[in-house]
Amino acid sequence: MIDAVRPAVFAPNWPARLAWLGLFAYAIYAASILDFTWDRFVTGLGQGARFVARMFPPDTDPEKMRLMARGLYESLEIAVIASVLGIVLSLPIGLLAARNLMPAWLTWPIRLFIALCRSFHQVIIAIVFVKAVGFGALAGILALTVASIGFVAKLFAEAIEEISLKQVEAVRATGAPFMSVVMFGVMPQVLTRFVGFATYQFDSNLRNSTMVGIVGAGGIGGTMFAAFQKFDYDYLLTILLAIIAVIMLSEALQNWIKKLYQ
Amino acid sequence: MRDAPQQSAGAALQIRGLSKEYRRGVPVLHDVDLDVASSGITAIIGPSGTGKSTLIRCINRLVEPTTGAILFRGVDLTRLRRRDLRAARRRIGMVFQEYNLVERLTVMENVMCGRLGYISSFKAWLRRYPRSEIENAFDLLEMVGLTEHANRRADALSGGQRQRVGIARAVMQEPELLLADEPTSSLDPKTSVEIMELMVEIGQRRQIPVIVNIHNVPLARRFATDVVGMSGGRIVYRGPPDGLTDDQLKQIYGGENWLE
Amino acid sequence: MTTSGIDREWRRYTRGERLARFALYFGIVAACVVSLRTVQVIPEFLYDAPEQVADLLKRMWPIEWAFYRRGVHDALIETLHIATLGTILAILMAIPLGVLAARNIVPFAAVNYFAKLLLVSSRSVNSLVWALLFVAIFGPGALAGTMAIAFRSIGFVGKLFGEALEETRPGPIEALRAAGAPALSIFLKGYWPQVVPAFWAIALFRWDISVRESAVLGLVGAGGIGMAIDTAMNLFQWERVALMLAAIFAVVVIAELAVTYIRKRII
């Protein structure tokens, strides 16, 4: 009986170990660069405790609640309009960006446009629109629409690029016009995923709409920032809790929609 | 060599009054009594859903029995609590139908998982296994014919090879009892025979009892020293494989069409 | 056997489903209409908008590249540190929460629920709002920003990590239990190897998003390039603003390339 050669086992994985070590070293380095000292942290904890204490109990003054409700409602409006507008626009834009359906001279500029829409944080886009069209909901709507296009159009284009072209070919072979080819060859394959993107984006817009108000683009963000600056921390807590509740509801709604479209 | 089953006094495993109800009032196992001798292959046969898998999983309590006692080397397994249960489990090796290997780990890592009941989590994480245990692992791999695959990922192997790794892992525990839940059901006929031969060899070398769930009756007849036939959650046959007549098989499985 | 009782009409969805779908479409359209009617948008501003945007873009050109060395570079590096350190902290805190939220590892519903509640709360509060809170606690600067990114990311990482854990195959876990392995070993050798690819994908994904988010935290005083943007905007120095936006764009693109590269290497 010949003894097979026994390979070495559990050899230390040096690249992985170095990477972990590097990560650890970086964390220490970054912490020191950012001036994380222990005292700052401890003082901060004390401050934090005091801060949290001032937030409880949440303010339930009826006048303030009405103000908050209006702010939330405006955020909801912004989210709905921006989502619908963004999603509707993303359909053609995403379609035009699909490299397996469209020629290169068309897909490249469109993809660049989509990338631009995505690169900037919604807040930055919101600020730009506030400077352009003034304070209020319009800036928020435009900002979130742009952000929606950046996300939904990109994923939509990627989903189209992953479909089986055979089905598209089959529809084309029947002599159908282009829109029919899209509707019956492309869409059925990507519809479920598209619904997933759309619901995700609505949820994202809802979260962000509560925030663009901080820079003046409408919605409850403005109310919240005002409360913050006035040191009205218990009111701030009420607003935060309300926002969390709205988002949880929206998540539940999302799950329901996804089940419906499975 | 097919010996008659041993007397109770020499039994390694004694099951008394074992019942299991997954849903109240719907028992899957009815008051099962069983003695397993301290050597030889015991094959449990019977149709699907008759409680074979439940029975075998009650032994190492992957499934919790509803009532009954399971005495292994004098200790009632059903009464054990966490640490003692783990100590008992590491003396019982198990081989699974779907191999149950950790796909992304190497063959050697999977085999060494058999020692997890014996070393601390910390050492296991750092892979600081004693040299002697690694040598044992290699010996096992040699026995199952997989030495050159030691550093390959488990998901790169064929079904038969994976089952061998599963067997090596179980034997790595230095078990006093080997359980196998349909170990050949996912394998082709030739590989099935090889795996059964391997388990017979292990049972003989280590002088430990082997209990195998199997639905392939010819395989059971060929390799078992002792056959347990189950039907409807009860044992309806207990004896040597040659005592298994067609009538009894009909009683166990019902229907005639499947008999050759 | 007769066939008279079989409904021969071809329907894609059951009546209940169709009703629900219709309700959904109707709901969306209704929400849209209601919103459009009640949202306070001054029409003049709307018509003015393209012109205003064009005017703003004109003022941003030419980009003041020279300002980079002096005013932008350090802030940009600080932004990257905030994003990376914040993500690392978040991962450290999110792993235990993700484990607690996974039904197959911790089968106590109350614990799962509580962990999931924490994770949802972390996600629901925007990073900018977290930044505000931490500026109030720690004072302005990068510490507040890092904590904000960390706390915001916990929910994201924890939720996806918990879901990855719940999707692991139960077979290998059963085998390790049967071998008498202690709980920690079962986690290290049974669960962890199965979720490693997902873990790195989640971590990289979150880092990428955090880079974007860190850039704006400075607007509320939490450090990074956001503070420079805020100053420049208040002084109407649009060419500098344009420079900073371009710098952010470049960093985001580089981050995405880095993430794609790392993903190919380790997953």
Side-chain angles (χ1 to χ4, degrees), chain C residues 26-41:
Chain C
F26 184 72
I28 294 179
V29 172
C32 227
V33 168
V34 167
S35 305
L36 281 171
R37 289 182 64 186
T38 54
V39 79
Q40 290 174 342
V41 173

Side-chain angles (χ1 to χ4, degrees), chain B residues 56-147:
Chain B
I56 235 190
R57 278 181 162 75
C58 279
I59 296 178
N60 59 3
R61 280 176 63 189
L62 289 180
V63 165
E64 286 293 344
T66 310
T67 51
I70 300 177
L71 290 139
F72 180 53
R73 305 260 186 241
V75 176
D76 185 0
L77 297 178
T78 60
R79 298 261 166 276
L80 295 178
R81 312 233 107 250
R82 297 160 68 225
R83 193 165 322 137
D84 299 325
L85 178 60
R86 276 200 283 117
R89 278 180 172 164
R90 68 187 184 199
R91 311 301 306 183
I92 302 177
M94 188 158 186
V95 179
F96 298 85
Q97 178 181 354
E98 303 284 354
Y99 331 124
N100 285 356
L101 303 181
V102 184
E103 305 274 293
R104 295 189 77 248
L105 295 182
T106 61
V107 165
M108 179 53 88
E109 285 247 40
N110 270 290
V111 172
M112 294 311 289
C113 278
R115 300 305 295 173
L116 287 180
Y118 292 94
I119 71 171
S120 73
S121 300
F122 187 62
K123 287 224 188 81
W125 176 49
L126 295 177
R127 283 114 125 243
R128 294 172 75 75
Y129 301 101
R131 190 70 218 164
S132 57
E133 290 187 3
I134 300 193
E135 288 300 320
N136 287 346
F138 270 118
D139 289 338
L140 275 176
L141 283 180
E142 235 172 72
M143 181 177 126
V144 301
L146 290 175
T147 318

Side-chain angles (χ1 to χ4, degrees), chain B residues 235-248:
Chain B
I235 295 182
V236 297
Y237 175 82
R238 184 78 171 85
D242 12 14
L244 201 56
T245 64
D246 284 351
D247 275 333
Q248 270 150 341

Side-chain angles (χ1 to χ4, degrees), chain A residues 20 23 26-31 33-36 40-41 43-45 47-48 51 55 73-74 76-78 80-81 84 112 115-116 118-121 123-124 127-129 131-138 141-142 154 200 207-208 210-211 214-215 224-225 228 233 236 240 243-244 247-248 251 256-257 260-262, chain C residues 17 20-21 24-25 28 31-32 34-36 38-42 45-46 49 52-53 56 60 78 80-82 84-85 88-89 117 120-121 123-129 132-133 136-143 146-147 152 156 159 200 208 212-213 215-216 219-220 229 233 236 238 245-246 248-249 252-253 256:
Chain A
W20 279 112
L23 203 62
Y26 168 78
I28 310 271
Y29 167 70
I33 287 248
L34 293 181
D35 193 27
F36 283 14
R40 274 192 83 186
F41 195 69
T43 349
L45 283 180
Q47 285 270 70
F51 186 67
M55 283 167 84
Y73 187 65
E74 188 172 45
L76 206 60
E77 291 171 343
I78 295 177
V80 167
I81 300 178
V84 172
L112 190 63
L116 269 172
R118 265 179 73 230
S119 305
F120 300 107
H121 198 257
V123 166
I124 298 198
I127 294 180
V128 168
F129 275 114
K131 299 295 177 186
V133 300
F135 291 104
L138 180 61
I141 293 173
L142 291 174
K154 173 182 199 257
Y200 181 85
R207 286 163 208 260
N208 291 323
T210 61
M211 185 255 312
I214 294 183
V215 293
M224 184 164 48
F225 197 53
F228 183 77
Y233 293 143
L236 182 63
L240 282 176
I243 294 179
I244 294 180
I247 291 182
M248 290 209 213
E251 275 207 15
W256 180 71
I257 293 182
L260 206 58
Y261 270 86
Q262 235 154 35
Chain C
E17 281 178 335
R21 281 176 172 237
L24 182 63
Y25 290 138
I28 294 179
C32 227
V34 167
S35 305
L36 281 171
T38 54
V39 79
Q40 290 174 342
V41 173
I42 304 170
F45 282 6
L46 181 57
Q52 293 283 1
V53 174
L56 188 62
M60 288 191 179
E78 190 179 74
L80 280 175
H81 285 323
I82 292 177
T84 316
L85 200 54
I88 293 176
L89 282 175
L117 194 65
V120 168
S121 308
R123 288 205 312 281
S124 308
V125 177
N126 209 280
S127 55
L128 218 57
V129 176
L132 273 179
L133 294 177
I137 296 177
F138 290 112
L143 178 55
T146 312
M147 297 304 282
R152 168 70 177 88
F156 183 89
K159 173 181 194 247
W200 287 115
D208 187 31
R212 268 173 251 252
E213 294 198 347
V216 296
L219 291 170
V220 294
I229 294 183
M233 276 202 282
F236 300 106
W238 294 112
L245 292 182
I248 296 178
F249 182 65
V252 165
V253 167
E256 276 217 27

Side-chain angles (χ1 to χ4, degrees), chain B residues 26-37:
Chain B
V26 187
V28 171
L29 288 177
H30 288 264
D31 211 25
V32 169
D33 282 345
L34 182 63
D35 282 350
V36 177

